[in-house]
Amino acid sequence: MEAPVCNSQQELEQLIEQRFQLLSNRLQLVARYLLAHPDTVAFGTTATIAQGAGVHASALVRFANAFGFSGFTEMQKLFKNRLLQTSPDYQSRIVAVQQDQSVPVTQAGVRYLQQIAAANEAAMVQLCDELDAGLLQQACELLAKARLIHIQGARRSYPVASYAGYLLSNTGLPVHLLDGVGYMQTGPLNLLGADDVLLAISFAPYAAETQQVISRAAAAGCRIIVITDHRLSPLTAQADVALLVREAEVHSFRSLNASMSLIQALVLALIHDAEALAAAAKPAG
């Protein structure tokens, strides 16, 4: 069956519905799974998606070919792009703010401050309600046992990483902030070791640099803690602990309040366990 390659997940879903009855029983299983679990399809592996659909991995390839794609990975990109494209570009955000007639120009600063405060309050309530306390404790234990704590965060996530480095270093723990100064990103990754912990922070659309650091850390046998915004974030696949944060936003300008608060809580929990902290800060040998 030949078909043109679709340009979006929505187009593909419509085509699947139109041609569903023409598919074999196996490919119908794939179709049902794709339509019912689009988020899982976005960042799942071929093996996990095939298992979820109850078919062999080769059926995914046949399905993709049936809809005009060269392979399943090419088709999967449509699902990934839709999930990652959750916020407009900065020019669109700027235009939205400029066209906001609900805010008087002479009171814009205080009005937006009030909106941001209200949004942050709601985000903090959600964080406290939904955060897995057991995972937070696991993160504390991993940090306390680490020979060296590596911290990675790029672009919007960099302030969170920097704050984490500042707080953790002041506890006496050995900390290495991967800041990429002078475009020297690669060399410092050689310091990653099996007795270390990587704390990585990234939110959609998920910095490629951070994903690369996580892959290097996993290859080195390093334990990995991630702070991210979605259970299907590509960061979670190789993580030992994934802490999920949904930040507040006003006109798509997202806050860092919840992430900063989570870092602060993590460090305070480490300090509270004085015995473990003292043992972790003690020089080796």
Side-chain angles (χ1 to χ4, degrees):
M1 185 190 304
E2 294 183 0
V5 175
C6 302
N7 294 316
S8 70
Q9 179 188 329
Q10 185 176 12
E11 289 182 11
L12 176 61
E13 289 176 349
Q14 291 172 349
L15 197 57
I16 290 173
E17 292 173 358
Q18 292 170 9
R19 300 191 174 185
F20 183 80
Q21 297 300 330
L22 301 176
L23 300 174
S24 67
N25 291 338
R26 289 282 183 186
L27 297 191
Q28 284 185 359
L29 289 176
V30 176
R32 287 195 179 97
Y33 189 81
L34 264 60
L35 295 176
H37 306 279
D39 288 0
T40 302
V41 172
F43 290 117
T45 64
T46 302
T48 59
I49 295 170
Q51 183 178 15
V55 298
H56 191 274
S58 61
L60 299 183
V61 178
R62 293 200 305 275
F63 184 90
N65 293 158
F67 286 87
F69 296 93
S70 61
F72 180 72
T73 300
E74 183 185 10
M75 185 183 70
Q76 187 183 31
K77 288 179 181 178
L78 299 184
F79 292 83
K80 187 177 297 187
N81 289 341
R82 183 173 179 179
L83 188 61
L84 294 183
Q85 292 170 359
T86 56
S87 60
D89 59 30
Y90 266 93
Q91 188 56 44
S92 299
R93 301 181 201 184
I94 291 169
V95 171
V97 173
Q98 292 172 339
Q99 294 178 346
D100 186 356
Q101 300 300 318
S102 66
V103 177
V105 174
T106 57
Q107 299 179 33
V110 69
R111 289 290 186 89
Y112 283 126
L113 178 60
Q114 292 167 349
Q115 290 182 27
I116 293 166
N120 277 328
E121 182 179 4
M124 286 300 302
V125 170
Q126 182 180 27
L127 176 62
C128 292
D129 288 345
E130 297 182 359
L131 185 68
D132 188 319
L135 291 178
L136 189 58
Q137 179 60 28
Q138 286 181 40
C140 288
E141 292 171 358
L142 287 176
L143 292 173
K145 295 175 183 176
R147 177 190 71 93
L148 180 59
I149 300 170
H150 306 269
I151 306 176
Q152 165 67 23
R155 293 184 287 281
R156 188 174 76 92
S157 300
Y158 180 75
V160 184
S162 179
Y163 184 53
Y166 170 76
L167 288 182
L168 287 168
S169 63
N170 280 315
T171 66
L173 292 173
V175 174
H176 175 217
L177 179 62
L178 294 160
D179 55 15
V181 171
Y183 296 95
M184 301 291 287
Q185 296 97 333
T186 304
L189 298 184
N190 295 323
L191 296 175
L192 291 163
D195 296 325
D196 299 350
V197 169
L198 170 68
L199 173 60
I201 305 105
S202 189
F203 309 102
Y206 311 113
E209 302 95 322
T210 300
Q211 295 185 57
Q212 291 167 4
V213 171
I214 289 174
S215 295
R216 284 287 298 270
C222 193
R223 305 299 294 272
I224 300 169
I225 302 168
V226 301
I227 295 177
T228 189
D229 55 1
H230 200 287
R231 64 184 177 83
L232 296 174
S233 161
L235 275 66
T236 64
Q238 295 176 295
D240 295 282
V241 177
L243 303 174
L244 303 184
V245 180
R246 298 294 181 91
E247 287 288 2
E249 61 179 66
V250 173
H251 284 300
S252 297
F253 284 89
R254 289 173 290 181
S255 175
L256 291 174
N257 184 72
S259 302
M260 292 288 197
S261 297
L262 179 57
I263 290 293
Q264 190 173 4
L266 189 61
V267 175
L268 288 173
L270 271 170
I271 295 171
H272 186 68
D273 190 349
E275 186 175 332
L277 183 64
K282 193 178 195 179

